[in-house]
Amino acid sequence: MHMDLTLPKYNLMVTEMLLIPQISSLSWFTTVVPLVLVLAVSGVKDAIDDFNRHKSDKHVNNRPVQVLINGMLKDEKWMNVQVGDIIKLENNNFVTADLLLLSSSEPHSLTYIETAELDGETNLKVKQALTVTAELGEDLQKLTEFNGEVKCEAPNNKLDKFTGTLTLRGEKYALDNEKMLLRGCTIRNTEWCFGLVIYAGPDTKLMQNSGKTTFKRTSIDRLMNVLVLVIFAFLALMCLILAIGNGIWEYDKGYYFQVYLPWAEGVNSASYSGFLMFWSYVIILNTVVPISLYVSVEIIRLGNSFYIDWDRKMYYPLNDTPAQARTTTLNEELGQIKYIFSDKTGTLTQNIMCFNKCSINGKSYGDVYDMSGQRIEINENTEKVDFSYNQLADPKFAFYDHSLVEAVKLRDVPTHRFFRLLSLCHTVMPEEKKEGNLVYQAQSPDEGALVTAARNFGFVFRARTPETITIVEMGETKIYKLLAILDFNNVRKRMSVIVRSPEGDLTLYCKGADTILYELLHSSCDSLKEETTEHLNEFAGEGLRTLVVAYKNLDEDYFQDWIRRHHEASTALEGREDRLSELYEEIEKDLMLLGATAIEDKLQDGVPQTIETLAKANIKIWVLTGDKQETAMNIGYSCNLLNDDMEDVFIIEGSTPDDVLNELRNARKKMKPDSFLDSDEINIQFEKSSKKPKLIPDEQANGVYGLVITGHSLAYALEGNLELELVRTACMCKVVICCRVTPLQKAQVVELVKKYKKAVTLAIGDGANDVSMIKTAHIGVGISGQEGMQAVLSSDFSFAQFRYLQRLLLVHGRWSYIRMCKFLKYFFYKNFAFTLVHFWYGFFSGFSAQTVYDEWFITLYNLVYTSLPVLGMSLFDQDVDDRWSMLFPQLYVPGQQNLYFNKIVFVKCMMQGIYSSLILFFIPYGAMYNTVRSDGKAIADYQSFALMAQTCLLIVVSVQIGLDTSYWTVVNQFFIWGSLSVYFAITFTMYSDGMYLIFTASFPFIGTARNTLSQPNVWLAIFLSITLCVLPVVGFQFLKAQLKPTPSDKMISVAPWEQRAHYLQIKCIVSFPSAKEYENLLITILITTSFYILEIPFSSLFSRLSPAQDQRSQKASTSTITQETPASDQHPPLRLRFLPSARLWSTHYVWEKYAAKITFCHDRNIFTK
């Protein structure tokens, strides 16, 4: 049962009960008006969505397309296109349906498409028609007479796969995804093409992917579902008590009032009267869970989503990408993240690949050495290789090792074969709009980098057709026949091509992951494999992405037999993939090793700082990558995930389940030996048999540890017997890196943590292989990078750079969580205080279901009088600003522990509401009891009491929201004072003589406002009520802040002083002793605030001073230091100013030949020396 579904149904039930005269205790409008307003707002929102959807659908369905009908092209609407139609598309046209490409204007019937609407990738892809259909060209007569039969798979949502066959003139031809144009694509750089409609309308792959996504709910939503049930139970209890009281009163006292208070018609006993009063009080007390709660929550979430969309600090100008909240229901969950699961390539790194190094025939290339043979670091002054001899070279490509060019020029056979492989084994498409100006359209940045490297070293990939690849080798054009492409996938982790050279040689070229290709090598390559492995380890140690390349010369007879079986497998409708996989395994054996490539993928800006900041917020980061172990670990050190200060970094690489189990247990034993004792809480918990999923509490290790686990070991660890050991060991580590993992394993790791830990998870990635992980986590974040938009389209939030994640969580997430918690606490408080006054009044009104307040006040209380102030607080409040939120990540921790709103906090709100309702009833009751006005007239009547009680209530809840507000804005002030003003304006208007004369039955409180609120004793009673309601709250908040302050309480105590000056000014006197006495002394300033220790490096404060500068009075730094007149030649004092907007991090600074004696002098004692 969900809160947003339960509340409207409940209020609808109450509305229906109002139609029953025997139990109706309120006028219809008290419930109908709020219900109609809520339903109207929801209806308008849904109607706008439906209208926009209908408008969009109508626009798409009415797009024109040319359909071949009776030998002529006729314009038809998209909605009228059917399976079997042949349609014509022109350049920049949207593809109407899923089409089998028949022919096009380009040579060999190639067609260029853009798939941005499908996967977000803007690079062009190429599709090619079968040769037998390419002959049709644009001859309408031949196309009309085309009589083939297509058999294919049923409609599905797999964008990258298609299985079918075309039977034409008795011959059967294999159909795959390379011959399909899918709906959602756009034709580019192609004058025209013809296609046969295979799937249309809802059967297209685009529409099949438009299925419902799993609806994610926040932990607060799940808690609210429980609390709503508790409130319903509490409501039933109150109604039962009052109903029993009514039965007892009617039985004991009611008899004496029968003359002027007769029982209603049909009521013949006290017990039956009590039964009816139960339902009457259900109607009266229904405001304890008002329907406006649902609307307010939606408005708050929508507003906080807009803040993310509008945040300029999360806008990436280089590709014009703002941050985007793709859902409005998960904002507060961003403030409770405990685990982050991150992809590496394109998420932590830029995914802009550059060919950096390589190993060819056992020799490593890419490093630069000086005359003495020492390796030197490459920088912008290092001499680049001159590629001017190659007119087709890419001028942007940079390489520094001249020996590789020399090997190419000397026509070294292994080197030539190496680059020939790189220029042939790929799926890149070339574009040459101008002579010699080549642009490569690569489906992955890795392929583009390798083909570009081959191009610059003299093996230029020039053109591609369905049957040929044209290469310019050292200035000589050669055309290779392309006989087969053995595709790459996540299981094979390699791709191969089989080509025939102009000389007639048959060769298979293969590239892929070293772990895979090493198993396929010929035994004669063992020595070369050892040398290449050393180079691979060096490359991976530098954080480079590596691939191994190999080749194989094929026998003609064997190949002819193999290609025949390949054709049979490729035209099979059932088991095609398995049969092809077996054939690929068969021919990719006994390969000859050529070498390896190393590609650099640089870190994104700000990644190390972001990870360090998130770690301080007690967020654990797990990196899930497909890269090899050495590369992943090196990136881990570069990102500040791993560091040398860790006690240990465990590497789990067992090749059997027992090995993996032992390695995990050994790691856990070192981190927490006590976890193996029988008395351990978790061991006891899991020894008890229970079908209910068991959560593992957080365990503290005896130090800081990291864990690295490989893909094959992870496969064993995710099995049922080992998963508990994995999650216990991994969750004790500060950092976990999983390498060589598949997309499915990424999702399994996330699901494992969700299963055993009571924590909110976030997954972030940029590619299609991250989609399953993003959908599995509580929060999915997509990065719009180089791998298209599939991750973004599946995500809940998106932006362009990983560094924006810290602002999303520490600022927007934290604010959203705090605002929602404050809203719920205040909302429940004000409604308990409002509703329970009816409960106490029942004991003084014969339990007769008489209301305390005027019915119009009941109607307008939640809709008008108290709605805007709480929305103002929930949309604008912030305990500290964004700068301090980022500077002190520890402020994020309470959200992870769910401290600001939980069952205990709810009970406190409930008790405060009960206490306030007692004050709000008994103070006005006592003040009105037997009271007369100054002129002697009595005011101790029901209407005056009702007005006084509701006035006290509204002022008290307004004061309470003022106490709850941490950040005052003009909007907050306007909403609070405006709501009070509106209340008094409406009250005096509704209780006026004119309203009574016009609507006598609806406004019976004639003159009550002016008669009651003009009495000083009434206002004194109101002031007393406010004081008694607010004083305990103020006292509790003060004592709590002093005795048990939260991190934000500590910050708030310091922040006002800091914010007044807009910067933190620390005055220090630095005295330098004799330079001869001190050399190379390590100097660090430690600043201890009341709750946090900052270690500020001198490098962020000082410029390096020379001895001559020590003796003069001058400015030593343009921004942070002012040097005053020295007290003496040997002791020149400095007065420093430090701006907190500069980064604070732990490091040290060596001030050579000087030592400093530092004295802090400030008028506030929040810093200690």
Side-chain angles (χ1 to χ4, degrees):
M1 182 172 61
H2 301 310
M3 174 183 64
D4 51 353
L5 299 177
T6 304
L7 296 184
K9 290 180 181 179
Y10 167 67
N11 280 266
L12 185 60
M13 182 192 74
V14 172
T15 303
E16 292 172 350
M17 291 169 60
L18 287 171
L19 302 178
I20 304 174
Q22 288 83 356
I23 63 174
S24 178
S25 49
L26 288 173
S27 298
W28 59 270
F29 54 79
T30 56
T31 302
V32 172
V33 171
L35 180 62
V36 169
L37 181 62
V38 169
L39 294 179
V41 171
S42 300
V44 169
K45 175 180 176 291
D46 293 340
I48 292 173
D49 291 341
D50 290 342
F51 174 76
N52 291 333
R53 193 178 300 113
H54 173 74
K55 186 178 178 181
S56 175
D57 291 345
K58 184 177 180 181
H59 173 71
V60 171
N61 290 333
N62 290 325
R63 283 176 178 169
V65 63
Q66 299 180 72
V67 181
L68 183 62
I69 302 175
N70 298 325
M72 299 178 61
L73 289 172
K74 296 183 179 179
D75 286 340
E76 277 286 353
K77 295 179 179 179
W78 275 28
M79 69 174 72
N80 298 327
V81 171
Q82 298 178 359
V83 174
D85 287 344
I86 294 178
I87 64 176
K88 180 182 181 181
L89 297 173
E90 296 177 344
N91 193 33
N92 296 325
N93 280 174
F94 292 104
V95 178
T96 311
D98 291 352
L99 309 176
L100 170 64
L101 179 61
L102 297 178
S103 61
S104 79
S105 58
E106 298 303 298
H108 308 285
S109 283
L110 297 178
T111 298
Y112 297 95
I113 60 170
E114 183 182 277
T115 59
E117 285 194 24
L118 282 179
D119 55 19
E121 297 183 17
T122 56
N123 56 306
L124 295 184
K125 299 180 176 64
V126 68
K127 301 292 182 178
Q128 60 189 49
L130 290 168
T131 305
V132 67
T133 62
E135 299 170 354
L136 300 173
E138 59 179 334
D139 189 325
L140 298 185
Q141 188 62 34
K142 288 183 178 180
L143 288 165
T144 303
E145 295 172 355
F146 176 71
N147 186 22
E149 181 184 25
V150 175
K151 293 183 179 180
C152 63
E153 60 191 358
N156 58 69
N157 61 358
K158 297 177 181 177
L159 294 173
D160 57 344
K161 291 183 180 179
F162 176 77
T163 303
T165 60
L166 168 66
T167 304
L168 183 65
R169 295 191 288 271
E171 292 289 333
K172 185 182 285 189
Y173 302 92
L175 301 179
D176 56 26
N177 205 49
E178 297 305 311
K179 299 171 182 63
M180 295 292 294
L181 304 179
L182 301 184
R183 177 175 175 175
C185 301
T186 307
I187 305 297
R188 300 292 191 204
N189 299 346
T190 305
E191 187 178 344
W192 55 261
C193 67
F194 284 88
L196 174 68
V197 177
I198 303 297
Y199 304 123
D203 291 338
T204 59
K205 291 183 180 289
L206 177 66
M207 299 302 292
Q208 291 283 314
N209 274 279
S210 301
K212 294 182 179 179
T213 304
T214 304
F215 185 65
K216 297 180 179 181
R217 305 190 70 85
T218 67
S219 56
I220 286 183
D221 278 339
R222 294 188 289 272
L223 175 61
M224 282 300 305
N225 292 333
V226 176
L227 296 183
V228 166
L229 294 178
V230 171
I231 293 172
F232 284 154
F234 182 65
L235 171 63
L237 177 63
M238 288 193 297
C239 294
L240 181 63
I241 292 173
L242 293 171
I244 293 172
N246 176 264
I248 295 173
W249 188 88
E250 290 288 357
Y251 180 81
D252 189 41
K253 301 286 185 182
Y255 173 80
Y256 302 104
F257 299 91
Q258 285 283 340
V259 176
Y260 61 92
L261 282 179
W263 283 343
E265 184 178 351
V267 178
N268 51 23
S269 68
S271 59
Y272 186 57
S273 173
F275 172 76
L276 294 180
M277 283 303 156
F278 176 88
W279 299 108
S280 296
Y281 272 110
V282 167
I283 295 174
I284 290 180
L285 302 178
N286 80 87
T287 50
V288 74
V289 188
I291 195 172
S292 56
L293 176 65
Y294 165 66
V295 177
S296 300
V297 166
E298 292 301 312
I299 293 174
I300 293 167
R301 287 174 169 168
L302 183 63
N304 286 316
S305 297
F306 283 143
Y307 291 149
I308 296 174
D309 295 341
W310 296 337
D311 193 341
R312 292 186 178 182
K313 294 182 180 179
M314 296 172 67
Y315 169 74
Y316 191 56
L318 294 184
N319 56 7
D320 189 28
T321 304
Q324 185 179 11
R326 299 177 55 83
T327 178
T328 60
T329 60
L330 302 173
N331 299 335
E332 64 268 20
E333 198 91 322
L334 290 170
Q336 299 178 274
I337 302 299
K338 186 67 179 290
Y339 290 89
I340 292 177
F341 301 90
S342 174
D343 178 39
K344 183 188 78 68
T345 304
T347 303
L348 302 178
T349 60
Q350 298 178 18
N351 202 17
I352 299 176
M353 309 299 180
C354 178
F355 184 84
N356 192 283
K357 294 181 180 182
C358 63
S359 172
I360 303 174
N361 198 30
K363 184 176 180 181
S364 177
Y365 297 95
D367 290 323
V368 181
Y369 299 88
D370 58 17
M371 298 299 292
S372 61
Q374 296 294 320
R375 188 169 68 176
I376 60 176
E377 184 178 350
I378 296 175
N379 54 46
E380 52 189 34
N381 297 322
T382 306
E383 182 184 1
K384 297 179 182 179
V385 171
D386 182 12
F387 293 108
S388 59
Y389 70 92
N390 183 358
Q391 295 181 353
L392 295 176
D394 184 351
K396 298 178 183 178
F397 180 81
F399 200 76
Y400 300 92
D401 188 353
H402 295 261
S403 62
L404 183 55
V405 179
E406 295 302 321
V408 172
K409 290 181 178 179
L410 292 173
R411 298 189 176 272
D412 178 64
V413 174
T415 305
H416 275 220
R417 187 174 283 138
F418 177 87
F419 285 113
R420 185 179 298 116
L421 183 149
L422 296 186
S423 64
L424 290 171
C425 187
H426 56 78
T427 58
V428 175
M429 287 302 302
E431 277 190 281
E432 191 170 2
K433 297 180 180 179
K434 296 181 181 180
E435 182 67 24
N437 184 15
L438 278 171
V439 177
Y440 291 140
Q441 299 289 345
Q443 296 190 27
S444 76
D446 300 71
E447 278 200 329
L450 295 176
V451 176
T452 299
R455 168 185 174 180
N456 276 62
F457 283 100
F459 289 76
V460 183
F461 169 54
R462 194 70 181 267
R464 174 192 291 275
T465 70
E467 290 90 14
T468 64
I469 296 177
T470 302
I471 306 294
V472 179
E473 294 186 5
M474 304 301 291
E476 180 183 354
T477 300
K478 291 186 178 182
I479 299 177
Y480 289 81
K481 289 185 179 180
L482 181 60
L483 303 176
I485 297 179
L486 285 59
D487 296 323
F488 173 91
N489 62 40
N490 285 325
V491 177
R492 285 169 39 78
K493 294 187 178 179
R494 63 187 184 275
M495 83 159 287
S496 301
V497 295
I498 300 175
V499 297
R500 189 186 299 274
S501 69
E503 295 77 22
D505 297 328
L506 272 174
T507 310
L508 179 146
Y509 292 108
C510 182
K511 66 180 181 183
D514 57 300
T515 54
I516 302 296
L517 252 65
Y518 274 0
E519 298 177 1
L520 307 176
L521 295 179
H522 192 273
S523 58
S524 62
C525 300
D526 289 346
S527 59
L528 178 58
K529 184 168 71 173
E530 291 180 5
E531 296 176 349
T532 306
T533 301
E534 291 181 10
H535 297 156
L536 282 172
N537 292 335
E538 290 178 11
F539 299 157
E542 298 173 21
L544 304 179
R545 294 165 59 87
T546 58
L547 283 176
V548 171
V549 295
Y551 75 100
K552 177 182 180 181
N553 293 319
L554 300 176
D555 176 72
E556 182 70 37
D557 294 336
Y558 168 75
F559 174 73
Q560 293 302 328
D561 176 65
W562 183 88
I563 200 68
R564 176 185 57 78
R565 290 182 286 134
H566 179 269
H567 177 72
E568 293 173 358
S570 64
T571 54
L573 283 179
E574 295 183 1
R576 178 186 295 186
E577 291 186 12
D578 293 337
R579 293 176 63 179
L580 286 175
S581 179
E582 291 177 4
L583 285 171
Y584 294 167
E585 293 281 349
E586 176 188 322
I587 201 169
E588 291 173 326
K589 288 181 179 178
D590 296 329
L591 303 179
M592 303 302 295
L593 181 60
L594 269 176
T597 63
I599 298 174
E600 182 180 13
D601 186 11
K602 295 182 179 179
L603 286 178
Q604 292 183 14
D605 294 338
V607 167
Q609 295 85 352
T610 299
I611 289 176
E612 185 178 359
T613 301
L614 294 175
K616 290 178 181 177
N618 199 32
I619 297 175
K620 295 186 176 182
I621 300 176
W622 293 26
V623 176
L624 313 177
T625 177
D627 283 338
K628 62 185 302 181
Q629 177 183 316
E630 293 80 2
T631 304
M633 289 186 66
N634 185 269
I635 292 295
Y637 282 102
S638 301
C639 292
N640 282 346
L641 282 168
L642 303 175
N643 58 68
D644 296 330
D645 294 333
M646 287 183 167
E647 299 287 338
D648 199 355
V649 176
F650 304 111
I651 298 177
I652 311 299
E653 51 187 355
S655 55
T656 66
D658 290 339
D659 292 342
V660 173
L661 179 62
N662 290 332
E663 290 175 351
L664 289 172
R665 285 184 171 174
N666 291 336
R668 179 157 66 92
K669 189 172 184 179
K670 183 173 182 179
M671 290 188 288
K672 188 180 180 183
D674 294 345
S675 64
F676 286 89
L677 299 177
D678 294 336
S679 59
D680 181 74
E681 176 186 352
I682 298 176
N683 294 334
I684 296 173
Q685 177 183 344
F686 278 87
E687 283 177 1
K688 299 177 182 178
S689 59
S690 174
K691 295 182 179 179
K692 184 180 178 182
K694 298 175 181 177
L695 297 175
I696 300 177
D698 288 339
E699 298 180 88
Q700 296 298 324
N702 54 19
V704 178
Y705 296 89
L707 185 140
V708 178
I709 183 168
T710 58
H712 61 271
S713 299
L714 182 63
Y716 295 125
L718 289 172
E719 295 176 356
N721 297 332
L722 275 71
E723 65 175 17
L724 178 61
E725 190 65 46
L726 171 64
V727 76
R728 286 192 69 179
T729 304
C731 290
M732 273 195 273
C733 298
K734 181 181 179 181
V735 173
V736 176
I737 298 177
C738 304
C739 47
R740 294 297 195 199
V741 294
T742 65
L744 177 61
Q745 286 177 327
K746 291 183 178 183
Q748 288 175 332
V749 170
V750 177
E751 188 62 46
L752 181 67
V753 175
K754 287 176 63 178
K755 178 180 178 181
Y756 285 106
K757 303 296 287 187
K758 188 179 180 181
V760 181
T761 60
L762 180 147
I764 180 170
D766 74 317
N769 60 336
D770 303 315
V771 169
S772 57
M773 173 177 72
I774 286 173
K775 287 186 174 181
T776 303
H778 293 101
I779 300 286
V781 177
I783 289 185
S784 50
Q786 304 293 321
E787 293 189 27
M789 298 285 286
Q790 285 197 27
V792 170
L793 296 175
S794 304
S795 67
D796 305 304
F797 301 89
S798 66
F799 40 72
Q801 293 281 288
F802 181 83
R803 66 177 182 269
Y804 298 147
L805 181 62
Q806 62 177 329
R807 185 167 181 84
L808 180 70
L809 300 185
L810 302 185
V811 178
H812 293 288
R814 185 173 164 277
W815 282 351
S816 296
Y817 171 71
I818 291 176
R819 289 165 180 168
M820 183 60 70
C821 292
K822 282 190 173 185
F823 164 78
L824 292 173
K825 288 191 292 185
Y826 174 76
F827 208 93
F828 284 124
Y829 160 72
K830 76 180 181 68
N831 283 288
F832 275 115
F834 168 71
T835 305
L836 287 174
V837 174
H838 289 297
F839 181 79
W840 309 123
Y841 183 59
F843 291 90
F844 293 82
S845 60
F847 306 96
S848 59
Q850 169 78 18
T851 60
V852 177
Y853 314 113
D854 172 23
E855 290 182 339
W856 283 106
F857 180 81
I858 295 174
T859 305
L860 299 177
Y861 177 73
N862 280 306
L863 289 181
V864 178
Y865 299 147
T866 61
S867 59
L868 290 180
V870 69
L871 284 178
M873 178 188 70
S874 304
L875 290 173
F876 301 106
D877 200 50
Q878 43 185 272
D879 53 349
V880 296
D881 63 20
D882 58 338
R883 184 167 58 94
W884 289 103
S885 296
M886 298 279 282
L887 193 59
F888 297 98
Q890 290 83 353
L891 295 173
Y892 189 81
V893 174
Q896 297 171 331
Q897 301 170 351
N898 204 19
L899 296 181
Y900 292 146
F901 188 77
N902 49 48
K903 293 176 183 177
I904 296 176
V905 172
F906 171 74
V907 171
K908 290 180 181 178
C909 294
M910 194 173 176
M911 299 306 296
Q912 184 187 356
I914 293 172
Y915 168 76
S916 295
S917 67
L918 285 167
I919 299 298
L920 293 171
F921 174 76
F922 285 103
I923 296 297
Y925 178 81
M928 284 290 176
Y929 191 73
N930 291 333
T931 302
V932 295
R933 299 191 328 183
S934 56
D935 58 4
K937 295 181 180 180
I939 58 171
D941 59 273
Y942 161 72
Q943 293 182 347
S944 298
F945 167 71
L947 176 64
M948 185 177 176
Q950 64 195 37
T951 303
C952 287
L953 169 68
L954 194 63
I955 296 177
V956 165
V957 297
S958 297
V959 173
Q960 180 63 47
I961 201 167
L963 293 174
D964 290 343
T965 301
S966 302
Y967 182 71
W968 285 93
T969 65
V970 174
V971 177
N972 294 86
Q973 297 275 5
F974 176 76
F975 282 170
I976 292 176
W977 295 110
S979 294
L980 288 172
S981 301
V982 167
Y983 164 71
F984 285 110
I986 291 177
T987 299
F988 277 98
T989 302
M990 288 197 305
Y991 297 175
S992 65
D993 298 346
M995 291 297 291
Y996 175 76
L997 294 175
I998 299 172
F999 305 103
T1000 305
S1002 299
F1003 300 100
F1005 281 45
I1006 179 173
T1008 305
R1010 65 174 180 267
N1011 291 335
T1012 304
L1013 297 181
S1014 61
Q1015 301 303 308
N1017 60 328
V1018 170
W1019 285 104
L1020 183 62
I1022 292 174
F1023 176 76
L1024 179 61
S1025 300
I1026 296 170
T1027 303
L1028 290 176
C1029 285
V1030 171
L1031 195 59
V1033 177
V1034 175
F1036 175 78
Q1037 290 181 350
F1038 174 79
L1039 292 175
K1040 182 174 178 292
Q1042 296 298 316
L1043 302 177
K1044 195 178 179 181
T1046 63
S1048 58
D1049 289 332
K1050 297 171 183 177
M1051 168 58 69
I1052 291 169
S1053 66
V1054 180
W1057 166 62
E1058 317 292 5
Q1059 292 172 349
R1060 278 202 307 270
H1062 301 291
Y1063 58 82
L1064 172 63
Q1065 183 171 347
I1066 306 169
K1067 297 178 181 177
C1068 311
I1069 298 176
V1070 184
S1071 302
F1072 294 95
S1074 172
K1076 296 180 181 179
E1077 298 179 13
Y1078 298 92
E1079 291 188 2
N1080 300 327
L1081 185 66
L1082 195 66
I1083 304 172
T1084 304
I1085 298 180
L1086 284 179
I1087 301 176
T1088 307
T1089 68
S1090 57
F1091 70 101
Y1092 189 68
I1093 295 178
L1094 305 179
E1095 194 171 54
I1096 307 174
F1098 265 30
S1099 55
S1100 68
L1101 302 177
F1102 295 101
S1103 294
R1104 193 161 176 166
L1105 302 179
S1106 66
Q1109 288 175 313
D1110 277 320
Q1111 308 302 321
R1112 296 195 302 267
S1113 173
Q1114 62 180 16
K1115 199 170 186 181
S1117 172
T1118 57
S1119 59
T1120 57
I1121 303 177
T1122 302
Q1123 181 173 333
E1124 299 180 345
T1125 304
S1128 67
D1129 290 343
Q1130 291 188 342
H1131 301 281
L1134 296 177
R1135 212 165 270 281
L1136 313 175
R1137 185 178 69 187
F1138 167 67
L1139 306 182
S1141 58
R1143 281 198 49 76
L1144 306 180
W1145 68 101
S1146 296
T1147 186
H1148 299 284
Y1149 180 80
V1150 177
W1151 195 310
E1152 295 181 0
K1153 299 184 180 180
Y1154 295 94
K1157 181 180 178 182
I1158 303 174
T1159 305
F1160 289 101
C1161 44
H1162 201 283
D1163 56 346
R1164 285 195 51 158
N1165 188 27
I1166 67 162
F1167 297 104
T1168 59
K1169 187 160 55 174

